[in-house]
Amino acid sequence: SFTKVRSLPLRRIPSLRRDFGRSPTGQRGMMNIVRYEECHLPILFQYWHKIGARVPYFFPESVEQWPVCLFNDELLGEQIFGHLETFLALEGNRVLGFIQYGQPNFAWNTNGEKVYDLPLGVIRHFYFEPDHPAVGAMLLTEATTALQRFSPLYAFYHIFGMSCNAHHGKLHSSLGHVDRCLHEHGFQVEHTNVYYVLDMNRLKLP
């Protein structure tokens, strides 16, 4: 997980639109950052599978169950977040990235005790295309500006991952461009996990 340890000047971008020049077809591509609506589910679900292709704890799930985990997830019988904001960066119907953030209903203090109503801000999801760092910067600025009243502010808080991912909430090492963007905006790594994977198809049974 990442925690923000120093304050950077933040400003809300007046227009969440950016012209990325001409596409291969010769048409100009306009990127928009929009709040998630139910009509975005198919393309966001497809994007989720794309970014999770090399992440071992992105487990298969149905398009019906996935939004439940994304918006109304539970941990130990309690809903994790009371409210989550979710924004997508779109170029037409192509997802260039998305971010989701909010305040969890509970957390654990340094003594391991479960506590409620902490002034804790969490960026639960933050992904963007490696060749669009400006998209990542815009999405992250949107979230950090909205969450600037919270302290501490975390990204990829380890226990608040989705239940369909066994609650693994940390950023995978294959997404180094996301890691760089977080560091550039004042975050630093607080915890690191190591995962071991065994390809059972290569095993020879006696």
Side-chain angles (χ1 to χ4, degrees), residues 33-162:
I33 294 181
V34 300
R35 180 175 275 108
Y36 172 87
E37 297 181 8
E38 191 173 350
C39 63
H40 298 131
L41 176 59
I43 57 175
L44 186 56
F45 185 64
Q46 184 180 25
Y47 184 70
W48 179 260
H49 278 274
K50 175 185 176 181
I51 60 179
R54 293 183 293 171
V55 181
Y57 48 84
F58 272 41
F59 303 123
E61 73 291 311
S62 67
V63 69
E64 293 79 20
Q65 182 60 32
W66 186 70
V68 176
C69 299
L70 187 63
F71 298 109
N72 300 294
D73 216 352
E74 293 186 354
L75 178 63
L76 302 175
E78 295 187 71
Q79 188 162 330
I80 301 173
F81 291 89
H83 177 71
L84 285 164
E85 289 283 2
T86 307
F87 287 88
L88 285 69
L90 299 178
E91 186 179 46
N93 287 324
R94 179 190 174 198
V95 178
L96 299 179
F98 85 100
I99 196 164
Q100 185 183 62
Y101 59 87
Q103 181 183 15
N105 290 326
F106 53 87
W108 286 264
N109 62 22
T110 54
N111 296 321
E113 300 166 332
K114 193 174 185 179
V115 292
Y116 296 83
D117 298 322
L118 284 177
L120 176 68
V122 173
I123 298 173
R124 194 186 193 199
H125 299 296
F126 172 46
Y127 302 102
F128 60 94
E129 293 297 281
D131 57 345
H132 285 86
V135 169
M138 292 176 72
L139 288 170
L140 191 55
T141 297
E142 172 66 27
T144 52
T145 302
L147 295 172
Q148 60 185 334
R149 64 187 177 91
F150 293 102
S151 181
L153 173 57
Y154 283 93
F156 294 97
Y157 196 93
H158 59 287
I159 194 61
F160 292 148
M162 293 169 64

Side-chain angles (χ1 to χ4, degrees), residues 4 6-13 137 140-149 153 184-187:
K4 190 172 179 63
R6 59 189 175 90
S7 178
L8 294 179
L10 299 175
R11 63 183 179 87
R12 187 174 297 276
I13 300 171
L140 191 55
T141 297
E142 172 66 27
T144 52
T145 302
L147 295 172
Q148 60 185 334
R149 64 187 177 91
L153 173 57
E184 289 168 359
H185 284 76
F187 288 81

Side-chain angles (χ1 to χ4, degrees), residues 198-206:
L198 175 64
D199 186 352
M200 301 295 288
N201 294 320
R202 297 182 181 182
L203 293 181
K204 293 183 179 180
L205 299 177

Side-chain angles (χ1 to χ4, degrees), residues 7-28:
S7 178
L8 294 179
L10 299 175
R11 63 183 179 87
R12 187 174 297 276
I13 300 171
S15 175
L16 296 181
R17 297 170 66 91
R18 186 181 179 95
D19 191 342
F20 282 100
R22 295 188 178 277
S23 67
T25 60
Q27 298 178 337
R28 299 193 69 83

